[in-house]
Structure formats: C-alpha cells, structure tokens
C-alpha cells in the first residue's frame, strides 16, 4: 500500500502574473551615440496630441496589471530621460510615455513553477475546526531562467481535505531598503572570504555594534587616507561595500495580500535568481516565533546560500551566510535550537546530506556527514526536501534522491531528537515518485519539495511536478515512521 495519498489539488503557472521592469536597450549605434538616447529623442519628437493619445491608451491597457502604474512610469522616466540640445516640455503625458518606452513586462512564471515549501500562515482567522491555513512559497521561473520567490495559500483539513485559496493579482514587488548589520557578522563574513586586512580591521573597529550602509560610509570617512591608498585598499573597500549592500530589507504595503507578494532579485549576487527557498517557522528559546528561510542566490556564475527572516511574511530581511557549511545549495534550518545551537541540514559536497551547527545562525561550522548516496534510486545524489519536522520519535527529514536518467524521488530519514547526528531510521524505497501522468514538464521526471508540515497526524507535502505545476500529497505520520528501517551506527553514512 502506498504511503502517499494524492489530494488532487494543484497550482498551475499563471502567465498573467507579470511585473513591470526598467528596460534600457544597450547597443551602441555609433561611437558616442547610444540607442537609449536615440529612442528618447524619438519620444521627444512626437507631437503632443499623439503623446496624449498614447498615454491614455497605456493607462487603459496596463493600470490594472500593475500596482501604482503611473508612479512606476514616472520613476522609469526619471532614470532614462537624457539631456537634449532642444527644449521639449516634459508634460505629464510625455513623462508617462517616456517611462513606458523604457519599461517591459516580465512574466514571473512564464517558464516554470516549482519547489514549494509550506509553513503555518500568519492569518488563521475564519477557519473551521480541524483546519489550518498554510503559507506556501513557490519558485517562479521566467524568461532567461530567472527565478523569484512567490507565494500562495491553502487550507488543510478537516481530514484529508486540501484547498488552495485564490491567487490575487496584480503581482507586487516589495520596496527595498538598507539592512542592519551586526559588526561581528560582517567580521565573520570577511574572515570567511580571507579579506580581513589592515583596512578591514580599521573599518570594523570604527563601526558600531549595529550599523547600516550609511554607518559604513561614516566609518570609511573616518579611516586614515593612507590605509585607503595602500596597495589593495580600494579592492578591500569595494569588497566591504559590496558585502554590506548585498543585505537588504523588503516590505509590502498592508493592502498587498500574501499571494501578490514577489521577492525579486535585488542585489548583484542575486541577479540571475533567488532559488529554492526553504521556509520554516522558527521558535526561539523564549517562545517567540519568526519565519526563516534559506535560499540560493545566483549571479549567473556563482551561487551563495542566503538567509531570509520575517516576523509576518510582509517584511523580509535578506542576509549573507558564511562558513564551510554555507557554500552549496540546499541548506534547511531546524525549527528550533538543539543543545543551545542553531542547526541546519546542508549538502556542502554537492551530493550528500550533512548536519551543520552555528552559534548565531549566520556563520556555519564544518558539517558532519549524515547520509551518502547508496540506494539505487539515489545513486547520483541525496539531499533534503525542507526543514526537519519534530515528532515524538525523532526529527523527520524528507529527502530527495536522484537516480538513473536523473529521476528525482522523495524519501525520508529519522534523526535523534537530542543528537541529530544520529540517524535512527530511513525509508528504503521512495515515499513519493513521479506518477505516469507526472513525468512530463519543463524538467522531466522530477518531483521535489522544499518543505512540508504536520497537522493533526498527517504530513502535508506540496511538491513540484516536472517544474510545470504544484501538487500536494499527504501521509499519516505514524505510518510513515513505521515504514522506516532501523539504521545502525555502522551504516549511517557508508
């Protein structure tokens, strides 16, 4: 008998989920003359009646597709309008037209949707007995394989019922601002990169315990000019500035619902995507709750594990992670401290599951191996499918394995509650694999999840199907645990 039960619920990509982005053609026509200037001049040459007609049509066609559309166009116009040798009045309509000429729509889910993770929703109002509302993060992939983080919500229960709630439009990108840094955190990141030289020491000494980008610049202004001019000084300064500006805060207005919110690449190291967010509701020792997620930043050449924290899934703080365990994809945080330390699962060697520890949640120590590829269906690599789930019998870890023909399947491990280095049991066969009607998609033969939840004895697992849609399966937790085979110390990681 199969452990996993299909709910029949699904989320499909929505091509109408679009955002408006600044679009600036970069080709040079002749030396010293850019396309941007030529395009802007053509807009300035248009007669005012035509400008008025075009601006009115733009507002009619696009205002419902983008929140604050006129303000967005005005902002884009201010970025691209070049000086011209003749005086042309920039009327309100011409400003809107100029902005629209340098704007394009980007379909967030135009290519794929995949890799969901589920946590309890901040809003549990209006539910019946036995129900829970869940917030589900989604990896949305558009043109150029550029990934962003989107959201939807669902209600699980009573019993085996699951219903996705409507996804509202328009999609909205949050407002970014500078993040607060801890001085010790910056020191740890610089040390991890081997970049603590004389200038870095001086800057760190001049910084307060907590600071922002403006605080860094104040410290730079107070550093002796000889240090800045010393060999390598400018390179160090550039690196410190790059690190500090890589962290940010993003917030959404009160009237923007969760399903509208989009976390879109905001820094250079994220320029090619935010991938595979693994959300968890984290409980501190004092009982306070916070949403946390690891995700992978990708700049087109390098990856970097990063951390999101949020009190309410409306305001998010994005920060860098550092240390030996934070150098590859697939970190997943435990939902509480264990033995006074933060713990995470990782795949630092690219193919095995390991356990990492941290004193502050930002700098991660050398990981300890837990599981290596061994069974036929996981012979290429193994990894986690989200944060460990605490049960009375141990930490339930959903895993993924990759086998021949790059077929993905989902399995499970059980770790000791007090010492998660000890693997107690595992599934010998996958808990979930692609059904015959789930094999096709943007990436064939893949079922994959970034995290499930337990509610009233059931494990609920949203999962990506071929990167083409999201499905949902459930299983009785006790049945899943009973199906596992005990693991001895001799074969834990061999």
């Amino acid at each position: 008998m199969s452990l996993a039960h299909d709910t029949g619920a699904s989320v499909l990509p929505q091509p109408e989920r679009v955002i408006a982005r600044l679009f600036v053609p970069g080709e040079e026509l002749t030396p010293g003359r850019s396309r941007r200037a030529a395009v802007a001049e053509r807009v300035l040459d248009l007669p005012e009646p035509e400008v008025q007609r075009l601006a009115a049509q733009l507002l009619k066609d696009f205002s419902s597709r983008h929140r604050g559309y006129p303000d967005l166009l005005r902002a884009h116009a201010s970025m691209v309008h070049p000086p011209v040798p003749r005086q042309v009045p920039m009327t309100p309509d011409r400003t809107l037209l100029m902005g629209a000429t340098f704007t394009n729509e980007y379909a967030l889910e135009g290519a794929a949707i995949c890799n969901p993770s589920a946590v309890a929703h901040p809003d549990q109002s209006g539910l019946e007995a036995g129900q829970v509302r869940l917030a589900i993060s989604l990896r949305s992939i558009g043109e150029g394989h550029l990934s962003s983080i989107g959201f939807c919500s669902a209600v699980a229960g009573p019993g085996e019922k699951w219903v996705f709630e409507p996804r509202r439009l328009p999609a909205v990108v949050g407002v970014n601002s500078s993040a607060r840094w801890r001085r010790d955190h910056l020191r740890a990141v610089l040390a991890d990169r081997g970049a603590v030289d004389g200038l870095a020491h001086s800057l760190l000494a001049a910084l307060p315990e907590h600071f922002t980008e403006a605080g860094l610049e104040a410290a730079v202004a107070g550093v002796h000019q000889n240090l800045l001019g010393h060999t390598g000084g400018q390179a160090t300064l550039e690196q410190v500035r790059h690190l500090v500006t890589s962290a940010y805060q993003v917030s959404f207005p009160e009237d923007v619902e969760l399903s509208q919110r989009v976390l879109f690449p905001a820094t250079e190291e994220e320029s090619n995507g935010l991938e595979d967010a693994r959300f968890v509701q984290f409980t501190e020792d004092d009982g306070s709750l916070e949403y946390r997620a690891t995700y992978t930043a990708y700049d087109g050449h390098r990856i970097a594990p990063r951390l999101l924290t949020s009190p309410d899934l409306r305001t998010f703080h994005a920060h860098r992670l550092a240390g030996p365990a934070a150098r590859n994809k697939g970190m997943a945080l435990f939902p509480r401290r264990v033995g006074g330390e933060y713990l995470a699962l990782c795949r630092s060697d690219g193919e095995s599951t390991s356990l990492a520890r941290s004193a502050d949640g930002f700098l991660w120590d050398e990981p300890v191996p837990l599981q290596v590829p061994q069974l036929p269906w996981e012979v290429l690599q193994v990894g986690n499918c989200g944060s460990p789930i605490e049960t009375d019998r141990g930490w339930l870890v959903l895993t993924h394995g990759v086998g021949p023909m790059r077929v993905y399947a989902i399995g499970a491990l059980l770790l000791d509650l007090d010492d998660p280095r000890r693997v107690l049991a595992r599934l010998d066969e996958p808990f979930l694999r692609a059904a015959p009607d789930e094999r096709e998609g943007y990436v064939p033969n893949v079922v994959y999840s970034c995290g499930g939840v337990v509610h009233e004895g059931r494990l609920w697992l949203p999962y990506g199907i071929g990167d083409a849609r999201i499905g949902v399966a459930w299983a009785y937790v006790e049945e899943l645990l009973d199906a596992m085979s005990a693991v001895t110390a001799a074969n834990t990681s061999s």
Side-chain angles (χ1 to χ4, degrees):
M1 183 180 69
S2 174
L3 294 170
H5 304 270
D6 183 10
T7 66
S10 65
V11 172
L12 299 176
Q14 293 183 327
E16 64 269 31
R17 295 186 72 80
V18 295
I19 61 172
R21 304 172 65 196
L22 181 68
F23 172 73
V24 180
E27 296 89 345
E28 296 298 317
L29 299 176
T30 59
R33 185 166 181 265
S34 69
R35 279 192 62 197
R36 183 181 74 170
V39 170
E41 288 177 14
R42 288 196 286 271
V43 174
L44 294 173
D45 284 340
L46 291 171
E48 188 63 25
E50 179 71 355
V51 168
Q52 293 172 357
R53 184 188 69 81
L54 291 171
Q57 190 65 45
L58 285 165
L59 293 176
K60 178 181 177 182
D61 291 344
F62 292 95
S63 288
S64 64
R65 293 168 66 87
H66 304 284
R67 189 178 190 274
Y69 181 61
D71 289 339
L72 183 148
L73 295 187
R74 284 189 282 267
H76 286 185
S78 70
M79 298 178 194
V80 299
H81 178 47
V84 289
R86 61 191 186 282
Q87 295 297 321
V88 177
M90 284 300 291
T91 63
D93 286 329
R94 196 176 297 270
T95 298
L96 293 178
L97 180 59
M98 182 70 74
T101 303
F102 291 95
T103 300
N104 75 319
E105 287 191 326
Y106 184 84
L108 297 162
E109 300 168 4
I113 187 173
C114 55
N115 301 3
S117 71
V119 290
H121 197 292
D123 178 12
Q124 295 294 322
S125 63
L127 299 179
E128 301 173 6
Q131 292 184 324
V132 63
R133 179 173 288 112
L134 301 174
I136 300 160
S137 67
L138 305 168
R139 178 178 174 185
S140 305
I141 305 175
E143 179 186 357
H145 202 77
L146 178 62
S147 297
S148 57
I149 300 172
F151 298 93
C152 65
S153 61
V155 174
E160 58 191 63
K161 186 178 180 181
W162 175 289
V163 177
F164 282 108
E165 296 185 309
R167 302 178 71 194
R168 279 201 56 195
L169 293 172
V172 178
V173 175
V175 177
N176 286 14
S177 58
S178 298
R180 281 170 57 85
W181 275 80
R182 284 186 11 254
R183 181 180 56 217
D184 289 346
H185 181 197
L186 178 60
R187 179 183 287 109
V189 174
L190 287 169
D192 190 48
R193 297 164 66 97
V196 183
D197 58 10
L199 175 57
H201 272 298
S202 296
L203 287 173
L204 289 166
L207 286 170
E209 183 179 356
H210 295 91
F211 66 95
T212 63
E213 185 179 346
L216 171 65
E217 293 307 317
V220 170
V223 169
H224 198 284
Q225 289 301 308
N226 286 347
L227 285 173
L228 293 173
H230 194 269
T231 302
Q234 288 301 315
T236 296
L237 180 57
E238 181 180 346
Q239 183 166 194
V240 172
R241 281 174 168 156
H242 176 77
L243 288 173
V244 171
T245 57
S246 73
Y248 58 90
Q249 174 180 304
V250 58
S251 300
F252 295 87
E254 288 292 329
D255 62 342
V256 175
E257 294 186 5
L258 178 67
S259 64
Q260 296 177 269
R261 300 170 203 165
V262 178
L263 300 177
F264 202 74
T267 67
E268 182 180 342
E269 66 182 16
E270 298 175 350
S271 56
N272 271 62
L274 292 76
E275 302 179 357
D276 305 347
R278 287 162 160 82
F279 275 86
V280 67
Q281 194 169 36
F282 187 88
T283 304
E284 269 293 4
D285 292 343
D286 62 4
S288 60
L289 298 176
E290 180 181 61
Y291 294 99
R292 297 188 180 186
T294 55
Y295 70 98
T296 302
Y298 181 51
D299 67 1
H301 303 283
R302 296 172 299 276
I303 59 172
R306 290 173 57 92
L307 176 69
L308 285 173
T309 60
S310 175
D312 53 8
L313 300 183
R314 185 177 297 280
T315 298
F316 299 83
H317 303 267
H319 256 294
R320 289 170 101 29
L321 296 174
R327 293 175 183 158
N328 212 318
K329 293 185 176 184
M331 291 189 73
L333 304 173
F334 279 62
R336 64 172 174 85
R337 298 195 207 201
V338 180
E341 295 180 302
Y342 298 94
L343 299 183
L345 300 172
C346 64
R347 197 176 67 202
S348 55
D349 66 353
E351 65 174 19
S352 304
T353 303
S354 297
L355 178 71
R357 298 173 180 270
S358 172
D360 62 2
F362 293 97
L363 180 63
W364 293 88
D365 296 339
E366 192 72 42
V368 176
L370 292 178
Q371 176 200 28
V372 299
Q374 184 177 6
L375 300 172
W377 56 275
E378 60 182 27
V379 69
L380 288 179
Q381 70 184 47
V382 293
N384 69 74
C385 274
S387 293
I389 298 170
E390 188 167 4
T391 75
D392 292 341
R393 293 160 64 173
W395 294 104
L396 173 61
V397 177
L398 298 176
T399 65
H400 69 265
V402 186
M405 295 297 294
R406 199 171 177 261
V407 172
Y408 277 66
I410 296 176
L413 295 177
L414 187 67
L415 309 181
D416 186 87
L417 279 178
D418 298 320
D419 183 6
R421 294 173 300 177
R422 293 182 57 223
V423 180
L424 303 179
R426 69 178 173 204
L427 286 180
D428 295 325
E429 294 295 330
F431 156 71
L432 189 68
R433 65 173 84 223
D437 63 347
E438 294 179 335
R439 293 187 58 187
E440 315 304 338
Y442 184 63
V443 184
N445 305 306
V446 171
V447 292
Y448 192 93
S449 179
C450 284
V453 295
V454 169
H455 174 62
E456 295 197 337
R458 285 181 172 86
L459 167 68
W460 296 94
L461 186 68
Y463 63 98
I465 301 170
D467 287 14
R469 66 187 192 276
I470 305 299
V472 184
W474 67 268
Y476 289 112
V477 174
E478 290 301 315
E479 284 187 1
L480 178 59
L481 297 176
D482 288 343
M484 292 185 178
S485 300
V487 173
T488 64
N491 66 6
T492 295
S493 60
S494 62

